Amino acid sequence: MKTGDFESPQKMSSKILSASSSKMKLSGAQRPRKAGCERNVASVLLQQRQALRIIQEDVDVTPKPLIHPAFDVIEENQITALETLGIFQTGSSAQLMSPSDLSGLKASSSILLKSSMLSDDMQLESLLITEVCEPLQEEEDAAPAPFFLPRDDSMILLERSETVTITLKETQTFFIFEMPQLTGDLLTPEGQAIKQENEYYEYVTVGPGSNRKLIDAETQTIRVLTKSRGTYLGARPRKNQGMFVNNWVIHDTYAMPELITERDGRLMVHSKESMRRMREAQELQYKLPEPEITLDPSLEEQLSYICQNTRFLDAARVMERLIANNVFLAVQKRFTGVTVRDPCALDLCFDYRLDLLWMHVCDEARGRPVASFRWSPANTSVLAVGYGAQTDSNDKRSGLVLIWCAKNPSHPARRYIFDSSVSDINWSTIRPNLLAIGFYDGNVKVIDVSAKDVNVIRQSQRETSPACSPHWQVQWWGGDEQFDYQEQIYTSDQDGRVYCYRFGEDFLASEIMRLYRVEGKLMGVTRNHHCVAYDVPISRQPGALVLRRHPSISNIYLVGSDEGCIYRCSTTYLRQHIDSFLAHDGPVYSLEFSPFCQKLFLTCGADWCTRIWAEGLTEPLITLSTTMACVRSAQWSPTCSTVIANVINNQICIWDIRRKTYSPVSVTISNYGARLVAADFTTNGNQLVVADIEGAVYVYNLEGMPFPPYDQNKVLIESIHKALLTKPGLLNKLKKLGPPF
């Protein structure tokens, strides 16, 4: 195809563009054009270009569009090849650039441009081109991304410059936090300037220079801090001190390695005297002190002196535990859970039996009834046991507290002897080394069990604590805002009073409740009629035998009396109970809330029964009874919601209300046959601990127990509903209480 020259504007104006024409008309302007106009011109040229066809020898050789239909439409901010040609037209002389002024043009695809100074209209035969190169070195061809081609020639190898210029500039400084100093040194110019400003401020405010009245009142102004020169501490002066040492001394010193010790990676040289004293001090750490008796002591006196030494007692206690480990190793593994029975064994049977691991018995506790025992909340292997007076002794006032440990079940770790018999003990949950003890004479003491001897931290006084009857319950309760959220000690005694001992320096006791005997008929169980026509009570206040705090409501607590009545009380209402009902026809010995459902609790008493109650109902849901004997203690299992353990005479009964309620699932007779007085589960629920009136504490391992259900609360409620099928009226009352019933 031959390319012709540009024709004159007169000829061009008389021609009409057609689809077969290979010439395109461009109009040039004598004045510069704006970029928006150039873009519009280029867009018009693109539209005209799509309507043109190039015919060569009756063959359509029109080039295809540069933009592939698969790509998106070119955005307005991208410059096309024809827009570049439109930019070339803008200029002061309105001329097109010649091919000689262009760079990088290829022979196979070039642009033939000819300029004419006589006319503004120009014709350009450029429809044969398929590629446009960079027209000017100052301006780059910003080709669209869909058909962008790299400009680097693969045949040209770039060389790395030997020198690189790096310009470092300081960035702007940002102050995150700044605390200016409010004082200055008077010896510096800054301090003198501050002093002059302060003097001027005083002159214009309170001095002669003030022309207005000032009000002396408190305002929220910045307080000026001042400090004297004496508050500055200078550096401590140091000086060097020389010493003359010749080569022979240095040689002799390092020639004796016994005088050289290493400390923190450095060699320390000592003299013979200092080394001797240092070795003597090390030997004294492992040597018992010499007895104070200067005369020739006998062998018995030496042994008695050694046995009183604290370090010897600690060493002997460790040795006793090592020896006891040879005897109790197998049962200790079962106690800690290291050795457990295979749950997939073929001979597995749910028989709820008790297997005796060991007994805590010693000569000091023999013949003393166990008043109470508590497991330590911090150490599950530590058991504190409180004993009363010996039954066969003339002195009935002595009390004993022993701290037993599972590491040595045969010997107690601590022994504390008191003047009065112990009635109850309890551990502090926040400070597990503190043990609160209640006595029969009405005193309350708090001791520190970390000491081997009796270390009394707090002790009640007659001036601040008027109680003189036995404290049947001693408990630590978490304090509220009134007590600065510190634990306080609450007690209940035989006079029917509930005291709160504030754990302070004075250990002041405050009476928060006083019980009175039941008059008339109460809701609850039916009381038997007495044969005595005239029953005159000695005291108007019944004994408060049981004290339990509500597990979910902090200001509510329950008190059980020796008349069998349960009082619902509050710490906000002093000396007046909220509600009461009759739970037993006799003294109440135990009251425990269920660990899985806080609306259920059980009680046991002297009327041979153990009853399960629901809050809001005065009728018992389930009654458990076996023989005509008082039930001294009853406890919920912490791992199975339907299992209950109680002690009757010398029998340990295990109940599972999920299976049956008319008889226990297992009955175990104590080894010594003595009457049992207390029972409690361990924290993990794998052991049951019981105590008798002879001072023996039994630790049983629960064997053949059923697998704990997934939803303990649901199984417990379903078991109670099943037991109440024969009592539809009571079952309807239970359901009206709402969830979870």
Side-chain angles (χ1 to χ4, degrees), residues 579-681:
D579 192 9
S580 62
F581 66 94
L582 193 63
H584 295 274
D585 188 12
V588 180
Y589 292 129
S590 181
L591 191 152
E592 298 292 338
F593 283 89
S594 173
F596 300 98
C597 183
Q598 298 177 353
K599 292 186 177 182
L600 294 176
F601 62 93
L602 62 82
T603 60
C604 66
D607 58 350
W608 320 328
C609 297
T610 300
R611 294 185 173 94
I612 299 177
W613 306 81
E615 281 191 283
L617 295 179
T618 58
E619 186 177 353
L621 303 179
I622 299 176
T623 301
L624 309 175
S625 179
T626 56
T627 59
M628 292 186 295
C630 64
V631 183
R632 293 291 302 179
S633 179
Q635 296 289 333
W636 293 91
S637 173
T639 56
C640 189
S641 59
T642 59
V643 175
I644 299 173
N646 59 8
V647 291
I648 305 172
N649 286 339
N650 61 344
Q651 299 178 359
I652 307 172
C653 301
I654 304 296
W655 300 79
D656 192 350
I657 61 177
R658 186 181 181 182
R659 298 182 61 180
K660 53 184 177 180
T661 58
Y662 57 87
S663 65
V665 292
S666 69
V667 177
T668 304
I669 308 299
S670 65
N671 292 5
Y672 286 175
R675 183 165 54 90
L676 304 176
V677 294
D680 192 10
F681 286 92

Side-chain angles (χ1 to χ4, degrees), residues 535-587:
D535 187 6
V536 180
I538 300 176
S539 175
R540 294 188 59 187
Q541 283 81 26
L545 304 182
V546 180
L547 177 65
R548 287 293 179 271
R549 191 181 189 183
H550 199 280
S552 58
I553 307 175
S554 60
N555 62 333
I556 298 297
Y557 62 94
L558 302 181
V559 182
S561 66
D562 56 2
E563 291 184 323
C565 187
I566 301 296
Y567 298 87
R568 183 183 178 90
C569 308
S570 174
T571 55
T572 57
Y573 297 95
L574 303 181
R575 300 179 180 87
Q576 184 179 3
H577 62 272
I578 302 175
D579 192 9
S580 62
F581 66 94
L582 193 63
H584 295 274
D585 188 12

Side-chain angles (χ1 to χ4, degrees), residues 366-606:
R366 197 177 304 277
R368 295 176 179 266
V370 176
S372 176
F373 61 84
R374 294 288 186 273
W375 288 99
S376 173
N379 192 343
T380 56
S381 62
V382 175
L383 178 67
V385 184
Y387 301 86
Q390 292 184 354
T391 57
D392 55 351
S393 176
N394 296 328
D395 188 7
K396 302 297 182 181
R397 298 178 300 173
S398 62
L400 179 66
V401 174
L402 299 180
I403 309 297
W404 297 91
C405 184
K407 297 180 180 179
N408 186 9
S410 58
H411 294 279
R414 296 282 191 276
R415 295 178 176 87
Y416 303 111
I417 301 176
F418 302 96
D419 297 335
S420 179
S421 300
V422 178
S423 58
D424 192 24
I425 59 176
N426 201 348
W427 294 94
S428 172
T429 56
I430 297 179
R431 289 159 290 190
N433 61 316
L434 299 183
L435 182 66
I437 307 174
F439 297 92
Y440 270 79
D441 59 357
N443 289 329
V444 176
K445 295 182 180 180
V446 180
I447 64 173
D448 186 2
V449 299
S450 61
K452 298 177 178 61
D453 299 330
V454 179
N455 183 15
V456 180
I457 305 299
R458 295 288 186 272
Q459 182 177 1
S460 61
Q461 303 294 333
R462 289 300 179 186
E463 294 79 7
T464 59
S465 177
C468 58
S469 58
H471 290 282
W472 298 120
Q473 294 287 298
V474 178
Q475 299 177 7
W476 294 81
W477 291 0
D480 50 8
E481 185 179 0
Q482 178 184 0
F483 301 105
D484 298 334
Y485 301 99
Q486 294 183 0
E487 278 187 323
Q488 311 300 324
I489 298 177
Y490 288 78
T491 65
S492 61
D493 60 359
Q494 183 61 32
D495 292 338
R497 293 180 174 90
V498 178
Y499 293 97
C500 173
Y501 288 84
R502 185 167 184 176
F503 196 77
E505 293 294 337
D506 52 356
F507 203 56
L508 180 64
S510 301
E511 181 181 334
I512 63 174
M513 178 56 62
R514 179 182 296 181
L515 305 180
Y516 291 94
R517 292 195 177 274
V518 176
E519 296 181 1
K521 187 176 180 180
L522 288 179
M523 300 296 294
V525 299
T526 304
R527 176 180 293 183
N528 297 327
H529 297 285
H530 297 281
C531 298
V532 182
Y534 301 98
D535 187 6
V536 180
I538 300 176
S539 175
R540 294 188 59 187
Q541 283 81 26
L545 304 182
V546 180
L547 177 65
R548 287 293 179 271
R549 191 181 189 183
H550 199 280
S552 58
I553 307 175
S554 60
N555 62 333
I556 298 297
Y557 62 94
L558 302 181
V559 182
S561 66
D562 56 2
E563 291 184 323
C565 187
I566 301 296
Y567 298 87
R568 183 183 178 90
C569 308
S570 174
T571 55
T572 57
Y573 297 95
L574 303 181
R575 300 179 180 87
Q576 184 179 3
H577 62 272
I578 302 175
D579 192 9
S580 62
F581 66 94
L582 193 63
H584 295 274
D585 188 12
V588 180
Y589 292 129
S590 181
L591 191 152
E592 298 292 338
F593 283 89
S594 173
F596 300 98
C597 183
Q598 298 177 353
K599 292 186 177 182
L600 294 176
F601 62 93
L602 62 82
T603 60
C604 66

Side-chain angles (χ1 to χ4, degrees), residues 12 45 136 239 247 362 415 525:
M12 196 63 193
L45 294 178
L136 292 175
K239 62 180 180 179
N247 295 334
C362 64
R415 295 178 176 87
V525 299

Side-chain angles (χ1 to χ4, degrees), residues 126-148:
S126 60
L127 299 178
L128 293 178
I129 63 174
T130 59
E131 191 175 307
V132 178
C133 297
E134 183 178 359
L136 292 175
Q137 295 182 358
E138 291 77 13
E139 298 181 3
E140 290 186 3
D141 181 13
F147 54 89
F148 176 75

